[in-house]
Amino acid sequence: MMAFASGDDAAFDAIVNRFERQVYGVIQRYLGNSGHSSQAEDCAQEVFIRLYRMRKSYKPTARLSTLVYRIASNLCINVLRDETRRRGVALDAPCALDGSPLGATIADSAAVSAEEAFSARERAEIVRKALAAIPDRQRAALILHRFEGLSYNDIADALETNVDAVKSLLSRARASFADALKRDLDAGNI
Amino acid sequence: MDCEHTGRLAAWLDGELTAAETAALDAHVAQCSACRERAVLLRRTYAALEMLEPVEVPEGLAARVRARTRRRLHKAPVYVAGALAAAAVFLMALTLRSPAVDPGRHVTASTAATSSVRLAAYYDVALEEVRMLEDMQLLHEYDVLADLELLAIYDMLLDMDEFTGVMSI
């Protein structure tokens, strides 16, 4: 990391190789996309560019992984939220970040009879849309905890808050997610 | 009906409570139907997350990221003349509000960088906050700054110790 801070390109290359999965994974989950997403790739690119530009101010007392997750979370929460606003998608309307109406999806899926089997792909899509519907910081906390395996302390570092706030975020995130999924859970769709 | 303890169920399920808190909530959940119901729902929603497919990193992503990073950051000098002028106008618009600035003074590379320090002092903010201008709402509303590449030019402005040109404002 010190080599990277001093401008060593080979060190930066190693960092990209090491964190590409985590960065792309966080963004992809946050966006609620499936398959290859050029938007997620563009955002992942931006994370590493921001990391590169911050290299001179990097303090060796901070873990590199914390910094990477912090940049990725910040990008997801702030930049992607601003882009959603510019596209005219209401923040309080339940929808995935690609603009597709979540409410319609859940209503449609709930209309399917309990006897009809949902394929794994369809169930994953329901879950993906529900995850995309919960508020920004709650979603980021949930993804970091559940998919990246970060502790509450690490999540607090990544989101630049404290552990008590993370506990509250995750509690609300799980509640929001449960509420978004309840109809499909009760209907036996997932 | 919600119980006052339901807000702690997520941390309880995640194993993030202390041993004493966990034992207390264990005992409570055993007696509280609202909490038991909520805990079941939370467990089912966590199980639902397992239905998401693993994220597959696109092949060649790291190589593309490295290549594009180098192109984005290393082509910045190509825009030195025009982009520095635009950035200088931006800084001038801010610094001219400061009574310490003489508009007729030639601004050298070092004083332009020092302007960041003066900006920080004038607005009584941390220098680090001045350097985080890329996140300011002002930048999002400033049309020319819709291009994130210009932010790379701003980084150059901060590194102007290496630049020996003289700008006249």
Side-chain angles (χ1 to χ4, degrees), chain B residues 89-163:
Chain B
V89 169
F90 172 65
L91 267 182
M92 179 181 73
L94 293 180
T95 56
L96 282 180
R97 293 177 58 188
S98 166
V101 173
D102 175 2
R105 183 166 62 93
H106 285 281
V107 177
T108 64
S110 59
T111 55
T114 308
S115 291
S116 297
V117 177
R118 287 210 304 277
L119 271 174
Y122 179 72
Y123 290 103
D124 193 25
V125 296
L127 181 60
E128 193 58 37
E129 290 171 298
V130 175
R131 290 181 175 147
M132 293 298 285
L133 279 178
E134 66 181 278
D135 291 327
M136 281 175 59
Q137 188 59 33
L138 174 64
L139 297 189
H140 290 291
E141 293 168 351
Y142 197 60
D143 285 344
V144 69
L145 296 171
D147 182 355
L148 283 175
E149 293 188 356
L150 189 61
L151 298 179
I153 308 301
Y154 182 72
D155 280 342
M156 273 184 55
L157 211 60
L158 295 178
D159 292 337
M160 277 178 74
D161 286 342
E162 299 162 6
F163 180 65

Side-chain angles (χ1 to χ4, degrees), chain B:
Chain B
M1 184 176 74
D2 269 353
C3 163
E4 62 180 13
H5 296 285
T6 52
R8 302 175 70 210
L9 289 176
W12 177 64
L13 290 169
D14 289 341
E16 293 283 347
L17 297 180
T18 63
E21 290 171 332
T22 300
L25 203 48
D26 283 345
H28 171 76
V29 171
Q31 296 178 2
C32 177
S33 59
C35 282
R36 277 201 305 278
E37 254 182 59
R38 193 64 178 173
V40 166
L41 178 59
L42 291 176
R43 284 196 183 96
R44 290 181 69 191
T45 54
Y46 256 30
L49 287 172
E50 303 300 322
M51 296 179 192
L52 294 179
E53 310 93 338
V55 172
E56 290 183 18
V57 178
E59 194 173 327
L61 173 64
R64 287 193 294 278
V65 166
R66 292 195 302 267
R68 287 169 68 182
T69 301
R70 288 194 176 91
R71 276 201 306 275
R72 277 267 301 266
L73 298 175
H74 291 169
K75 78 175 180 180
V78 172
Y79 301 105
V80 164
L84 278 180
V89 169
F90 172 65
L91 267 182
M92 179 181 73
L94 293 180
T95 56
L96 282 180
R97 293 177 58 188
S98 166
V101 173
D102 175 2
R105 183 166 62 93
H106 285 281
V107 177
T108 64
S110 59
T111 55
T114 308
S115 291
S116 297
V117 177
R118 287 210 304 277
L119 271 174
Y122 179 72
Y123 290 103
D124 193 25
V125 296
L127 181 60
E128 193 58 37
E129 290 171 298
V130 175
R131 290 181 175 147
M132 293 298 285
L133 279 178
E134 66 181 278
D135 291 327
M136 281 175 59
Q137 188 59 33
L138 174 64
L139 297 189
H140 290 291
E141 293 168 351
Y142 197 60
D143 285 344
V144 69
L145 296 171
D147 182 355
L148 283 175
E149 293 188 356
L150 189 61
L151 298 179
I153 308 301
Y154 182 72
D155 280 342
M156 273 184 55
L157 211 60
L158 295 178
D159 292 337
M160 277 178 74
D161 286 342
E162 299 162 6
F163 180 65
T164 58
V166 173
M167 292 181 297
S168 169
I169 297 178

Side-chain angles (χ1 to χ4, degrees), chain A residues 13 17 20 24 29 36 41-42 45-46 52-53 56 124 128 145-146 152 171 174-175 177-178 185, chain B residues 7 10 14 16 38 44-46 50 52-53 58 61-62 64 66 68 70 72-73 134 155 159:
Chain A
D13 292 349
N17 288 336
E20 62 167 345
Y24 185 81
R29 294 262 186 244
H36 177 226
E41 183 164 330
D42 288 345
Q45 143 94 12
E46 182 60 25
Y52 187 87
R53 281 159 47 191
K56 292 182 181 178
R128 207 172 5 257
H145 181 64
R146 197 65 187 157
Y152 279 27
S171 177
R174 291 181 79 165
F177 185 55
L185 283 170
Chain B
D14 289 341
E16 293 283 347
R38 193 64 178 173
R44 290 181 69 191
T45 54
Y46 256 30
E50 303 300 322
L52 294 179
E53 310 93 338
L61 173 64
R64 287 193 294 278
R66 292 195 302 267
R68 287 169 68 182
R70 288 194 176 91
R72 277 267 301 266
L73 298 175
E134 66 181 278
D155 280 342
D159 292 337

